[in-house]
Amino acid sequence: MAKAMKVAMKKATAMKRKAVVKASGAAAASITKKKVPVPKGLGKIRIGIIHGKVFDPVKVGTHDRKYPEKLKIKNNTGRSASGWGGQYMADVSTGLKIARLQPDIFEIDFMRMDDVSPKRLAKNHLTFNFWGDMSIAIADGKVALGKTIMGIQKDCHNTRHYPEWNYYEWVLHKSRYMKQCIKAGIPMIPTIFVDNGFNAKAVLKQVQAKGWDKFLVKPAYLAFFGQGVIHGKTQDFVDNLEPFLQYERDNTKQKEFLVQPYVLKPNGNVFDEIRNFFVDGEWKYSIYTDGTDYEGFYEQPAGALKEACKQLAIRTYEEVKKVSKWEGKPIDTLLNRIDIGVVPDKSLKLGYKIFVNEIEPAKTSTSTLRVKFRKIVNRPETWSR
């Protein structure tokens, strides 16, 4: 977060340094602030927070005590729930934490996706988009809003919207980052890249040539949560091509697809993942996620597997850094999640085959419910330049 904040500082016309005294004894983790008034006429630095997550809760008790009632996710249990895990989400909590740490410097403008407009963003020095981007708007069927947000993202250096467009398109086009990573020697699932529309007969012929017994097809752009996937046994499609032809007819507007073989564990279940989180360009923690058990996730224990996945994720993040820029200059991303696929394999020294499965942007789940964080004393002097 520190480096991203420096960008906001450049947009502000001026700013006073804050004097901070670290407390001692039982209050060692607290911060005593000396009030330094903002020079008259300059006002506070306005930070926009585009929020809307319903699946990324923070632990109850760590949430801000003045968490706005209207921003809580109330419907979060039961079959008809619109959210998961609790009322207090990470995107809103981030904005509240910024304001809590530096109330005399920052003013937070919370907005949902439907509130986003060039006029609204023009009031802020910098706006972080943690959920309501172009892809979410289009997925929700709000095409006109999606086009508006796309325009804002493309004009990010004038609208001061983060993240910038080229980096975000790189993440949304899974085939783009996959090809770049493969070229860099990073292991990934064997993939047939379809770049100019889906042709059922041609794809099936390529799958047969690969010798894959089972395979899946999914869109490579603007798709998440398993949208637009078809899968099954190769021979079943050979015997009856009609479902594959129907898939072709149903996806004429989509041009990019990924075709991959099933990757299964020895017990026949889908591979697991160890998800690695990078904050402000640094690896911070990793979460084990079971391939079939939705509730099967926890902080990955220390050991050889955790370290191997961490190192592969760091190699992958080097590719992220090649495309992450602000005003033409390289900048560490605010948040990335790099998912490393894991399959037990006794023939390997590690005991596992590992590969990169996905790169996720800031709108991903942070899985903080399963992480034990160390207390960190805030150092605002690193923000003031």
Side-chain angles (χ1 to χ4, degrees):
M1 180 67 75
K3 295 177 186 175
M5 286 301 165
K6 293 175 188 176
V7 179
M9 303 308 168
K10 292 181 180 179
K11 295 296 179 182
T13 54
M15 169 180 172
K16 273 284 186 180
R17 290 180 178 271
K18 287 177 58 67
V20 178
V21 179
K22 183 178 177 182
S24 60
S30 65
I31 300 172
T32 303
K33 305 182 183 70
K34 180 180 178 181
K35 292 292 183 179
V36 179
V38 177
K40 186 176 180 180
L42 295 181
K44 296 181 180 181
I45 295 173
R46 284 179 56 92
I47 302 294
I49 300 289
I50 302 173
H51 64 95
K53 287 183 176 182
V54 297
F55 57 86
D56 195 18
V58 300
K59 293 179 181 179
V60 174
T62 67
H63 65 279
D64 194 292
R65 295 301 187 272
K66 294 184 179 181
Y67 198 107
E69 192 69 24
K70 65 179 181 180
L71 301 184
K72 294 178 181 178
I73 305 300
K74 298 294 185 65
N75 182 21
N76 57 67
T77 59
R79 293 184 177 182
S80 61
S82 60
W84 175 87
Q87 301 183 75
Y88 313 107
M89 295 295 151
D91 49 3
V92 173
S93 295
T94 300
L96 293 173
K97 179 64 73 173
I98 296 171
R100 173 74 66 179
L101 292 175
Q102 301 295 330
D104 56 334
I105 296 177
F106 296 109
E107 180 180 348
I108 307 301
D109 177 23
F110 289 103
M111 66 187 96
R112 297 187 183 275
M113 181 176 68
D114 290 347
D115 302 323
V116 176
S117 68
K119 184 178 180 180
R120 180 71 173 265
L121 267 66
K123 298 178 181 179
N124 300 326
H125 293 99
L126 180 67
T127 295
F128 292 121
N129 196 331
F130 292 144
W131 180 246
D133 67 2
M134 172 268 294
S135 66
I136 301 299
I138 292 176
D140 286 352
K142 301 176 180 180
V143 178
L145 178 60
K147 290 180 178 179
T148 296
I149 298 176
M150 180 190 295
I152 289 171
Q153 288 182 283
K154 286 184 175 181
D155 193 31
C156 58
H157 302 310
N158 290 316
T159 59
R160 300 181 293 281
H161 173 286
Y162 180 87
E164 61 91 39
W165 177 251
N166 184 61
Y167 155 74
Y168 211 64
E169 274 285 272
W170 182 82
V171 175
L172 293 181
H173 281 273
K174 190 169 182 179
S175 54
R176 281 181 61 181
Y177 72 70
M178 285 186 69
K179 289 177 181 179
Q180 181 174 321
C181 288
I182 291 170
K183 187 176 180 180
I186 293 171
M188 289 194 150
I189 297 175
T191 302
I192 297 170
F193 294 98
V194 178
D195 297 323
N196 194 29
F198 189 80
N199 183 307
K201 293 181 179 179
V203 169
L204 185 57
K205 187 175 181 180
Q206 288 178 284
V207 169
Q208 289 179 287
K210 294 284 188 181
W212 297 342
D213 178 52
K214 299 177 181 179
F215 70 97
L216 61 86
V217 182
K218 56 185 176 183
Y221 182 56
L222 290 184
F224 27 66
F225 302 133
Q227 293 176 333
V229 173
I230 186 172
H231 62 92
K233 294 183 178 180
T234 304
Q235 190 58 48
D236 288 345
F237 288 113
V238 172
D239 296 338
N240 180 16
L241 188 61
E242 181 53 34
F244 224 30
L245 292 171
Q246 185 60 50
Y247 183 81
E248 177 183 324
R249 292 191 289 268
D250 291 342
N251 290 278
T252 55
K253 293 183 179 180
Q254 177 67 263
K255 298 300 180 183
E256 301 172 41
F257 298 84
L258 306 175
V259 186
Q260 299 174 326
Y262 275 26
V263 179
L264 305 176
K265 297 185 293 186
N267 64 5
N269 289 339
V270 176
F271 65 89
D272 305 321
E273 288 183 336
I274 294 179
R275 298 175 172 179
N276 294 261
F277 293 81
F278 290 78
V279 180
D280 198 24
E282 297 182 2
W283 184 95
K284 291 297 182 181
Y285 60 97
S286 58
I287 298 290
Y288 165 87
T289 307
D290 192 271
T292 55
D293 182 3
Y294 184 71
E295 297 293 337
F297 64 100
Y298 48 80
E299 186 172 9
Q300 178 65 23
L305 181 58
K306 182 187 184 81
E307 184 62 25
C309 292
K310 173 183 175 179
Q311 293 305 319
L312 180 54
I314 289 173
R315 282 178 57 197
T316 306
Y317 188 73
E318 289 300 313
E319 300 304 311
V320 176
K321 290 167 67 174
K322 292 177 182 179
V323 294
S324 177
K325 291 181 171 54
W326 185 261
E327 296 183 339
K329 297 179 181 180
I331 184 174
D332 288 327
T333 56
L334 195 64
L335 173 69
N336 276 110
R337 194 187 86 195
I338 298 179
D339 299 343
I340 306 298
V342 177
V343 178
D345 188 338
K346 294 181 180 180
S347 69
L348 301 175
K349 182 179 179 180
L350 179 64
Y352 295 89
K353 177 182 180 180
I354 62 174
F355 53 89
V356 174
N357 185 49
E358 203 153 29
I359 300 174
E360 295 277 7
K363 68 182 180 183
T364 188
S365 169
T366 57
S367 301
T368 54
L369 287 181
R370 296 295 190 269
V371 183
K372 294 181 180 179
F373 291 105
R374 297 188 305 274
K375 289 185 177 180
I376 300 174
V377 177
N378 178 53
R379 295 178 296 172
E381 67 270 16
T382 65
W383 297 2
S384 305
R385 295 287 185 262

